Amino acid sequence: MKITFLGTAAATACPLVFCRCPACQEAWKRGGKDKRRRSSLLVNDDLLIDLGPDVMSAAFAFGIDVSRIRYCLQTHAHSDHFDAGHLVTRLSDYATKDTLPLDLCASRETLAHMTDRLNLEEPGISLLAKEGQEKLHLNAHPMQHMDTISLDKYRITAVESNHDPRDGSLLWVVEEGNAVFLYATDTMRFTENALSLFRERKWQFDAVAIDHTYGPGTKGGGHLCADEMIEEVTKLRTLGHLKENSRVLATHISHEGMPLHKELSAFASKHGYEVAYDSLSIEL
């Protein structure tokens, strides 16, 4: 399994559009790994997690053919994770040729909120209706915590998120062969239901991409800060859900209390994890 980070920032991207804080100003100067698109991730070349607003700019920059995507897992429908304008290009009105079929997995609440956003672009199309799915040449799979679906070589499981219950936010576990990958953003601390499922399935993750929105000592709403993330990863290790050589990668990074990439990586190495950056690819 190959994992490629298309974006590793929180909702505002990083540096922020209008921000002149020292971190953002220095990020403009350094560039490179300190310029972050909003979070999304590609598994191999055909499974996307979150059809966000920066998917195409990442594809252009990293030479990725996103027309090959066959599967999309949507964590939730917030605007930094879902761009309806990308999905509507699957309509025949856009003259898109040779469109591959798409399997879209999300909670029922997320599909409903995605539909609301779609209707701002193209009124009358519902992701929860067969007619709407046919117009978009896709199959939508409403999923909830503990649901598992097999799609070709992938086994995909929905996990309860501690982020936005109204949106039915989900974390995702992707299995391919013997490789097991946990995508855990956006979320706060793992819920008891999530930990119970990890225990029930006896998962040992080869890699975890985990929310790291705020820097050390900087707590905020709806997400993990560095200290909380470290505690959650320690919990996974203690419970036996990480192997000796598992990769733990911080993502969904904001500027709030956050060192820049070089300094944050030095901090992370002392605490047993890595800091993801846009274009990072790893093999499991």
Side-chain angles (χ1 to χ4, degrees), residues 31-84:
K33 296 175 183 178
D34 287 301
K35 288 185 176 178
R36 300 179 182 275
R37 297 168 180 82
R38 285 157 289 192
S39 291
S40 61
L41 182 138
L42 188 67
V43 177
N44 298 321
D45 60 1
D46 59 357
L47 190 155
L48 177 69
I49 302 182
D50 283 344
L51 184 61
D54 296 332
V55 164
M56 290 309 295
S57 68
F60 298 153
F62 311 145
I64 294 171
D65 181 2
V66 290
S67 73
R68 300 175 68 179
I69 291 170
R70 293 287 313 279
Y71 316 103
C72 180
L73 314 181
Q74 197 67 37
T75 58
H76 58 309
H78 290 179
S79 62
D80 56 317
H81 292 261
F82 174 60
D83 186 338

Coordinates of all heavy atoms in Angstrom, one line a residue, residues 31-84:
G31 N 9.0 28.5 2.6 CA 8.3 27.7 1.6 C 8.5 26.2 1.8 O 8.6 25.8 2.9
G32 N 8.5 25.5 0.7 CA 8.7 24.0 0.8 C 7.7 23.4 1.7 O 6.5 23.5 1.5
K33 N 8.2 22.6 2.7 CA 7.4 21.8 3.5 C 6.5 22.7 4.5 O 5.6 22.2 5.1 CB 8.2 20.8 4.3 CG 8.9 19.8 3.5 CD 9.8 18.9 4.3 CE 10.6 17.9 3.4 NZ 11.5 17.1 4.1
D34 N 6.8 24.0 4.6 CA 6.0 24.9 5.4 C 4.8 25.5 4.7 O 4.1 26.2 5.3 CB 6.9 26.0 6.0 CG 7.9 25.4 7.0 OD1 7.4 24.9 8.1 OD2 9.1 25.5 6.9
K35 N 4.7 25.2 3.4 CA 3.4 25.6 2.7 C 2.6 24.4 2.6 O 2.9 23.4 1.9 CB 3.8 26.2 1.4 CG 4.4 27.6 1.4 CD 4.6 28.2 0.1 CE 5.1 29.6 0.2 NZ 5.4 30.2 -1.2
R36 N 1.4 24.4 3.2 CA 0.5 23.3 3.3 C -0.8 23.5 2.7 O -1.5 24.5 3.1 CB 0.4 22.9 4.8 CG 1.7 22.5 5.5 CD 1.4 22.2 7.0 NE 2.7 21.9 7.7 CZ 3.3 20.7 7.7 NH1 2.7 19.7 7.1 NH2 4.4 20.5 8.4
R37 N -1.3 22.6 1.9 CA -2.6 22.6 1.4 C -3.6 21.9 2.4 O -3.1 21.3 3.3 CB -2.7 21.8 0.1 CG -1.9 22.4 -1.1 CD -1.8 21.4 -2.2 NE -1.0 21.9 -3.3 CZ 0.3 21.9 -3.4 NH1 1.0 21.4 -2.4 NH2 1.0 22.5 -4.4
R38 N -4.9 22.1 2.2 CA -5.8 21.5 3.1 C -5.8 20.0 3.0 O -5.6 19.5 1.9 CB -7.2 22.2 2.9 CG -7.2 23.6 3.5 CD -8.3 24.4 2.9 NE -8.0 24.8 1.6 CZ -8.6 25.8 0.9 NH1 -9.6 26.4 1.5 NH2 -8.3 26.1 -0.3
S39 N -6.1 19.3 4.1 CA -5.8 17.9 4.2 C -6.6 17.0 3.3 O -7.8 17.1 3.2 CB -6.0 17.5 5.6 OG -5.1 18.0 6.5
S40 N -5.9 16.1 2.6 CA -6.5 15.0 1.8 C -5.4 14.0 1.6 O -4.2 14.4 1.7 CB -7.1 15.5 0.5 OG -6.2 16.0 -0.3
L41 N -5.7 12.8 1.2 CA -4.7 11.8 1.1 C -5.1 10.8 0.0 O -6.3 10.5 -0.2 CB -4.6 11.1 2.5 CG -3.6 10.0 2.6 CD1 -2.8 10.1 3.9 CD2 -4.2 8.6 2.5
L42 N -4.1 10.2 -0.7 CA -4.3 9.3 -1.7 C -3.7 7.9 -1.3 O -2.5 7.9 -0.9 CB -3.7 9.7 -3.0 CG -3.9 8.9 -4.3 CD1 -5.4 9.0 -4.7 CD2 -3.0 9.4 -5.4
V43 N -4.5 6.9 -1.4 CA -4.0 5.5 -1.2 C -3.8 4.9 -2.6 O -4.7 4.8 -3.4 CB -5.0 4.7 -0.4 CG1 -4.5 3.2 -0.2 CG2 -5.2 5.3 1.0
N44 N -2.5 4.4 -2.8 CA -2.1 3.9 -4.1 C -2.4 5.0 -5.1 O -2.1 6.2 -4.9 CB -2.8 2.6 -4.4 CG -2.4 1.5 -3.5 OD1 -1.2 1.4 -3.1 ND2 -3.3 0.6 -3.0
D45 N -3.1 4.7 -6.2 CA -3.5 5.7 -7.2 C -4.9 5.8 -7.5 O -5.4 6.5 -8.4 CB -2.7 5.5 -8.5 CG -3.0 4.1 -9.2 OD1 -3.9 3.4 -8.6 OD2 -2.5 3.8 -10.3
D46 N -5.7 5.1 -6.6 CA -7.2 5.0 -7.0 C -8.1 5.2 -5.8 O -9.3 5.1 -6.0 CB -7.4 3.6 -7.6 CG -7.1 2.4 -6.8 OD1 -6.5 2.6 -5.6 OD2 -7.3 1.3 -7.2
L47 N -7.6 5.4 -4.6 CA -8.5 5.6 -3.4 C -8.1 7.0 -2.8 O -7.0 7.2 -2.3 CB -8.3 4.5 -2.4 CG -9.3 4.5 -1.3 CD1 -9.5 3.0 -0.7 CD2 -9.0 5.4 -0.1
L48 N -9.1 7.9 -2.8 CA -8.9 9.2 -2.2 C -9.7 9.3 -0.9 O -10.8 8.9 -0.8 CB -9.5 10.3 -3.2 CG -9.4 11.7 -2.8 CD1 -8.0 12.2 -2.7 CD2 -10.3 12.6 -3.7
I49 N -9.0 9.9 0.1 CA -9.7 10.3 1.3 C -9.9 11.8 1.3 O -8.9 12.6 1.4 CB -9.0 9.8 2.6 CG1 -8.7 8.3 2.5 CG2 -9.7 10.2 3.8 CD1 -8.0 7.8 3.8
D50 N -11.1 12.2 1.2 CA -11.6 13.6 1.2 C -11.3 14.3 -0.1 O -10.2 14.6 -0.5 CB -11.0 14.4 2.3 CG -11.7 14.1 3.7 OD1 -12.8 13.5 3.6 OD2 -11.1 14.5 4.7
L51 N -12.4 14.6 -0.8 CA -12.4 15.4 -2.1 C -12.4 16.9 -1.7 O -13.4 17.5 -1.9 CB -13.6 15.0 -2.9 CG -13.7 15.6 -4.3 CD1 -12.5 15.2 -5.2 CD2 -15.0 15.2 -5.0
G52 N -11.3 17.3 -1.3 CA -11.2 18.7 -0.8 C -10.9 19.7 -1.8 O -10.6 19.4 -3.0
P53 N -10.8 21.0 -1.4 CA -10.6 22.1 -2.4 C -9.2 22.2 -3.0 O -9.1 22.8 -4.0 CB -10.9 23.4 -1.5 CG -10.6 22.9 -0.1 CD -11.0 21.5 0.0
D54 N -8.2 21.5 -2.4 CA -6.9 21.6 -2.9 C -6.4 20.4 -3.6 O -5.2 20.2 -3.9 CB -5.9 21.9 -1.7 CG -6.2 23.3 -1.1 OD1 -6.7 24.2 -1.8 OD2 -5.9 23.5 0.1
V55 N -7.3 19.4 -3.9 CA -7.0 18.2 -4.5 C -6.3 18.4 -5.9 O -5.3 17.8 -6.2 CB -8.2 17.2 -4.7 CG1 -7.9 16.1 -5.7 CG2 -8.5 16.7 -3.3
M56 N -6.9 19.3 -6.7 CA -6.4 19.5 -8.0 C -5.0 20.3 -8.0 O -4.1 19.9 -8.8 CB -7.4 20.3 -8.9 CG -8.6 19.5 -9.2 SD -8.3 17.9 -9.9 CE -7.5 18.3 -11.5
S57 N -4.9 21.2 -7.1 CA -3.6 21.9 -7.1 C -2.5 20.9 -6.7 O -1.3 21.0 -7.2 CB -3.6 23.1 -6.2 OG -3.7 22.7 -4.8
A58 N -2.8 20.0 -5.8 CA -1.8 19.0 -5.4 C -1.5 18.1 -6.6 O -0.4 17.7 -6.8 CB -2.4 18.2 -4.2
A59 N -2.6 17.7 -7.3 CA -2.4 16.8 -8.4 C -1.5 17.4 -9.5 O -0.6 16.8 -10.0 CB -3.7 16.4 -9.0
F60 N -1.7 18.7 -9.7 CA -0.9 19.4 -10.7 C 0.6 19.5 -10.2 O 1.5 19.2 -11.0 CB -1.4 20.9 -10.9 CG -2.7 21.0 -11.5 CD1 -3.5 22.1 -11.2 CD2 -3.3 20.0 -12.3 CE1 -4.8 22.2 -11.7 CE2 -4.6 20.1 -12.8 CZ -5.3 21.2 -12.5
A61 N 0.8 19.8 -8.9 CA 2.1 19.9 -8.4 C 2.9 18.6 -8.3 O 4.1 18.6 -8.5 CB 2.1 20.6 -7.0
F62 N 2.2 17.5 -8.0 CA 2.9 16.3 -7.7 C 2.7 15.3 -8.9 O 3.2 14.1 -8.8 CB 2.3 15.6 -6.5 CG 2.3 16.6 -5.3 CD1 1.2 16.5 -4.3 CD2 3.2 17.6 -5.1 CE1 1.2 17.4 -3.3 CE2 3.2 18.5 -4.0 CZ 2.1 18.4 -3.1
G63 N 2.1 15.7 -10.0 CA 2.0 14.8 -11.2 C 1.2 13.6 -10.9 O 1.5 12.5 -11.4
I64 N 0.0 13.8 -10.3 CA -0.9 12.7 -10.0 C -2.1 12.8 -10.9 O -2.7 13.8 -11.1 CB -1.4 12.8 -8.5 CG1 -0.2 12.5 -7.6 CG2 -2.5 11.8 -8.2 CD1 -0.5 12.8 -6.1
D65 N -2.4 11.6 -11.5 CA -3.6 11.5 -12.4 C -4.8 11.2 -11.6 O -5.1 10.0 -11.4 CB -3.3 10.5 -13.5 CG -4.5 10.4 -14.5 OD1 -5.5 11.1 -14.3 OD2 -4.4 9.5 -15.4
V66 N -5.6 12.2 -11.2 CA -6.7 12.0 -10.3 C -7.9 11.4 -11.1 O -8.9 10.9 -10.5 CB -7.2 13.2 -9.6 CG1 -6.1 13.6 -8.5 CG2 -7.4 14.4 -10.5
S67 N -7.8 11.3 -12.4 CA -8.9 10.7 -13.2 C -9.0 9.2 -12.9 O -9.9 8.6 -13.3 CB -8.8 11.0 -14.7 OG -7.7 10.3 -15.2
R68 N -7.9 8.7 -12.3 CA -7.9 7.2 -12.1 C -8.5 6.8 -10.7 O -8.6 5.7 -10.4 CB -6.4 6.8 -12.0 CG -5.7 7.0 -13.4 CD -4.2 6.6 -13.3 NE -4.0 5.2 -13.1 CZ -2.8 4.6 -13.0 NH1 -1.7 5.4 -13.1 NH2 -2.7 3.3 -12.9
I69 N -9.0 7.8 -10.0 CA -9.6 7.6 -8.7 C -10.9 6.8 -8.9 O -11.8 7.2 -9.6 CB -9.9 8.9 -7.9 CG1 -8.5 9.5 -7.5 CG2 -10.7 8.6 -6.7 CD1 -8.6 10.9 -6.9
R70 N -11.0 5.7 -8.2 CA -12.2 4.8 -8.2 C -13.0 4.8 -6.9 O -14.2 4.4 -6.9 CB -11.8 3.4 -8.6 CG -11.2 3.2 -10.0 CD -12.3 3.2 -11.0 NE -13.4 2.4 -10.7 CZ -13.5 1.1 -10.8 NH1 -12.5 0.4 -11.3 NH2 -14.6 0.4 -10.5
Y71 N -12.4 5.2 -5.8 CA -13.0 5.1 -4.5 C -12.7 6.4 -3.8 O -11.6 6.9 -3.8 CB -12.4 3.9 -3.7 CG -12.3 2.7 -4.6 CD1 -11.1 2.3 -5.1 CD2 -13.4 1.9 -4.9 CE1 -11.0 1.1 -5.8 CE2 -13.3 0.8 -5.7 CZ -12.1 0.4 -6.2 OH -12.0 -0.7 -7.0
C72 N -13.7 6.9 -3.1 CA -13.5 8.1 -2.3 C -14.1 7.9 -0.9 O -15.3 7.5 -0.8 CB -14.2 9.3 -3.0 SG -14.0 10.9 -2.0
L73 N -13.4 8.1 0.1 CA -13.8 8.0 1.5 C -13.9 9.5 2.0 O -12.9 10.2 2.0 CB -12.9 7.2 2.4 CG -12.4 5.9 1.8 CD1 -11.5 5.2 2.8 CD2 -13.6 5.0 1.4
Q74 N -15.1 9.9 2.5 CA -15.3 11.3 2.9 C -15.4 11.3 4.4 O -16.3 10.6 5.0 CB -16.5 11.8 2.3 CG -16.6 13.4 2.3 CD -15.5 14.0 1.5 OE1 -15.2 13.6 0.4 NE2 -15.0 15.1 2.0
T75 N -14.5 12.0 5.1 CA -14.5 12.0 6.6 C -15.7 12.8 7.0 O -16.4 12.4 8.0 CB -13.3 12.7 7.2 OG1 -13.1 14.0 6.6 CG2 -12.0 11.8 6.8
H76 N -16.0 13.9 6.4 CA -17.2 14.8 6.7 C -17.3 15.8 5.6 O -16.5 15.8 4.6 CB -17.1 15.4 8.1 CG -15.9 16.3 8.3 ND1 -14.6 15.9 8.0 CD2 -15.7 17.5 8.8 CE1 -13.7 16.8 8.3 NE2 -14.4 17.8 8.8
A77 N -18.3 16.7 5.7 CA -18.6 17.6 4.6 C -18.2 19.0 4.8 O -18.6 19.9 4.0 CB -20.1 17.5 4.3
H78 N -17.4 19.3 5.8 CA -16.9 20.7 6.0 C -16.2 21.1 4.7 O -15.6 20.3 4.0 CB -16.0 20.7 7.2 CG -16.7 20.6 8.5 ND1 -16.1 20.6 9.7 CD2 -18.0 20.4 8.8 CE1 -17.0 20.4 10.7 NE2 -18.1 20.3 10.1
S79 N -16.2 22.4 4.5 CA -15.7 23.0 3.2 C -14.2 22.7 3.0 O -13.8 22.7 1.8 CB -16.0 24.5 3.1 OG -15.3 25.2 4.2
D80 N -13.4 22.5 4.0 CA -12.0 22.3 3.8 C -11.8 20.8 3.4 O -10.6 20.4 3.1 CB -11.2 22.6 5.0 CG -11.6 22.0 6.3 OD1 -12.8 21.9 6.5 OD2 -10.8 21.5 7.1
H81 N -12.8 20.0 3.5 CA -12.7 18.6 3.2 C -13.5 18.1 2.0 O -13.3 17.0 1.4 CB -13.0 17.7 4.4 CG -12.1 17.8 5.5 ND1 -11.1 16.9 5.7 CD2 -11.9 18.8 6.5 CE1 -10.4 17.3 6.8 NE2 -10.9 18.4 7.2
F82 N -14.5 19.0 1.6 CA -15.3 18.6 0.4 C -15.5 19.8 -0.4 O -16.0 20.8 0.0 CB -16.6 18.0 0.9 CG -17.6 17.8 -0.3 CD1 -17.2 16.9 -1.3 CD2 -18.8 18.4 -0.3 CE1 -18.1 16.7 -2.4 CE2 -19.7 18.2 -1.4 CZ -19.3 17.4 -2.4
D83 N -15.2 19.7 -1.7 CA -15.4 20.8 -2.7 C -16.4 20.2 -3.7 O -16.1 19.4 -4.6 CB -14.1 21.1 -3.4 CG -14.3 22.3 -4.3 OD1 -15.4 22.6 -4.8 OD2 -13.3 23.0 -4.6
A84 N -17.7 20.7 -3.6 CA -18.7 20.2 -4.5 C -18.4 20.4 -6.0 O -18.8 19.7 -6.9 CB -20.1 20.8 -4.2

